[in-house]
């Protein structure tokens, strides 16, 4: 028919997706000779099954580390189909990607057709992370098997949560977070100044926790919202707040750590493990 040979421009989509991060090297793609692979590798492999004319690249909004989970991360991708093939509908893309991801703990939650100027990373207004703490375990063997890899259970006496809440107030607002950043290759090029829009510490119901109330386990969630975060910033903030809860630091120490502006001043071995960290949402 008329225009059958015309190449239509690629269609751009925004997808929201979730993953259980324990078995991955993080969300970003890795070279395939590594023992652990990135979530992005699986997303792009699934997308290749949709027979695009050009290999599909996922531009991921939020770079989570090895062992970190996402209740909801996001990415944009461009799909160029063979001449005469219409652009995928949002529903076709969602179902097609999930079909090819079915063997992995990765799920596309929704797909949205967006304009060519949209960028998943740079168009994001803010990101929200939740960190799950389990209190009341004297030994790591006491962590319920259903919670393994999904929380951090610092051993020892119960934490002083009010002290942690006092300390958290110092993290709110705009600061140079140099002390709360791990150094990586990007560090010299990115400003250490960030604005914490929300830092909350709230009790949580936990997963199935009402079935073992008699064990005296308590779940707490630390929530952080900012436009963007520094490398490992949330895990360092959580670790410092837990140290306050254990009495190893005072709330004022958090203010002093911020004022020092030196990543080497962060207390040794205080960074929280990746298992309790979840990217909850990316806001546009």
């Amino acid at each position: 028919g008329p225009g059958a040979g015309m190449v239509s421009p690629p269609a751009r989509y925004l997808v929201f997706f979730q993953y259980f991060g324990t078995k991955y090297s993080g969300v970003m793609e890795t070279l395939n000779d590594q023992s652990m692979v990135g979530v992005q590798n699986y997303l792009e492999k699934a997308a290749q099954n949709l027979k695009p004319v050009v290999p599909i690249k996922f531009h991921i909004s939020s770079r989570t580390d090895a062992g970190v989970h996402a209740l909801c991360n996001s990415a944009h991708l461009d799909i160029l189909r063979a001449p005469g093939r219409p652009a995928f509908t949002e529903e076709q893309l969602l179902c097609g990607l999930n079909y090819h991801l079915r063997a992995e703990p990765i799920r596309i939650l929704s797909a949205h057709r967006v304009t060519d100027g949209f960028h998943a990373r740079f168009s994001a207004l803010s990101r929200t992370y939740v960190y799950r703490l389990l209190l009341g375990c004297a030994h790591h063997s006491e962590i319920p098997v259903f919670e393994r890899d999904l929380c951090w259970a610092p051993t020892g006496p119960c934490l002083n949560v009010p002290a942690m809440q006092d300390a958290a107030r110092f993290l709110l607002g705009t600061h140079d977070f140099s002390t709360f950043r791990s150094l990586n290759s990007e560090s010299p090029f990115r400003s250490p100044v960030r604005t914490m829009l929300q830092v909350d510490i709230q009790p949580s119901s936990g997963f199935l926790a009402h079935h073992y109330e008699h064990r005296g386990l308590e779940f707490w969630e630390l929530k952080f919202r900012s436009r963007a975060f520094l490398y490992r910033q949330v895990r360092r903030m959580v670790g410092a707040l837990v140290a306050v809860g254990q009495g190893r630091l005072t709330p004022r120490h958090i203010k002093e750590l911020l004022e020092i502006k030196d990543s080497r001043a962060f207390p040794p071995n205080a960074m929280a493990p990746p298992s309790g960290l979840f990217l909850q949402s990316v806001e546009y």
Side-chain angles (χ1 to χ4, degrees):
M6 300 288 288
V7 176
S8 47
R12 180 164 291 188
Y13 300 87
L14 166 66
V15 293
F16 290 97
F17 59 101
Q18 61 182 195
Y19 46 90
F20 193 126
T22 303
K23 63 172 274 200
Y24 304 111
S25 63
V27 74
M28 301 308 286
E29 77 180 321
T30 53
L31 300 168
N32 282 316
D33 54 2
Q34 283 163 261
S35 59
M36 286 175 86
V37 180
V39 173
Q40 184 178 357
N41 295 63
Y42 290 97
L43 292 170
E44 290 177 359
K45 200 166 119 191
Q48 270 319 103
N49 288 300
L50 305 178
K51 312 268 189 294
V53 174
V54 181
I56 292 173
K57 196 101 202 101
F58 276 69
H59 300 268
I60 294 173
S61 76
S62 308
R63 304 175 165 203
T64 62
D65 264 357
V68 175
H69 316 288
L71 295 166
C72 188
N73 201 338
S74 59
H76 78 262
L77 57 149
D78 291 328
I79 305 179
L80 182 58
R81 299 196 71 193
R85 293 277 175 123
F88 288 114
T89 66
E90 294 167 349
E91 183 66 16
Q92 284 171 327
L93 181 60
L94 175 77
C95 297
L97 288 173
N98 279 336
Y99 178 77
H100 293 291
L101 286 165
R102 64 194 185 281
E104 295 297 319
I106 303 170
R107 190 72 63 256
I108 308 291
L109 300 168
S110 63
H112 310 271
R113 186 80 189 264
V114 289
T115 60
D116 294 344
F118 183 90
H119 194 290
R121 189 172 176 194
F122 303 118
S123 304
L125 300 177
S126 69
R127 293 155 173 92
T128 304
Y129 282 89
V130 169
Y131 196 98
R132 299 182 68 242
L133 285 178
L134 169 56
L135 307 186
C137 292
H139 185 268
H140 61 78
S141 63
E142 294 178 14
I143 300 170
V145 38
F146 305 103
E147 285 289 349
R148 219 176 70 195
D149 299 326
L150 294 170
C151 64
W152 175 27
T155 51
C158 234
L159 302 184
N160 178 345
V161 176
M164 292 169 67
Q165 288 166 327
D166 287 343
R169 283 198 273 278
F170 291 116
L171 297 170
L172 262 178
T174 304
H175 307 282
D176 178 323
F177 280 95
S178 293
T179 308
F180 291 90
R181 148 167 94 175
S182 294
L183 299 178
N184 67 355
S185 58
E186 273 191 9
S187 303
F189 310 105
R190 295 186 76 188
S191 162
V193 177
R194 290 291 181 266
T195 301
M196 289 302 117
L197 302 166
Q198 182 181 10
V199 182
D200 276 336
I201 304 175
Q202 301 278 359
S204 160
S205 54
F207 176 66
L208 295 174
H210 53 289
H211 292 293
Y212 37 79
E213 273 159 356
H214 62 281
R215 292 182 50 190
L217 300 181
E218 271 181 35
F219 289 88
W220 289 81
E221 287 183 2
L222 289 74
K223 186 178 276 195
F224 302 88
R225 188 164 63 88
S226 175
R227 198 180 70 72
F229 291 86
L230 301 168
Y231 182 52
R232 294 188 173 160
Q233 182 186 350
V234 176
R235 288 168 58 193
R236 281 185 171 228
M237 292 190 297
V238 169
L241 292 173
V242 165
V244 168
Q246 292 169 329
R248 293 190 292 142
L249 298 178
T250 66
R252 297 246 12 129
H253 276 126
I254 299 295
K255 189 173 190 293
E256 287 163 21
L257 286 172
L258 279 170
E259 287 163 358
I260 293 167
K261 300 176 189 168
D262 182 352
S263 71
R264 293 165 299 189
F266 188 75
N269 307 317
M271 184 166 72
S275 53
L277 183 57
F278 295 76
L279 172 60
Q280 183 192 321
S281 57
V282 183
E283 294 84 32
Y284 291 99

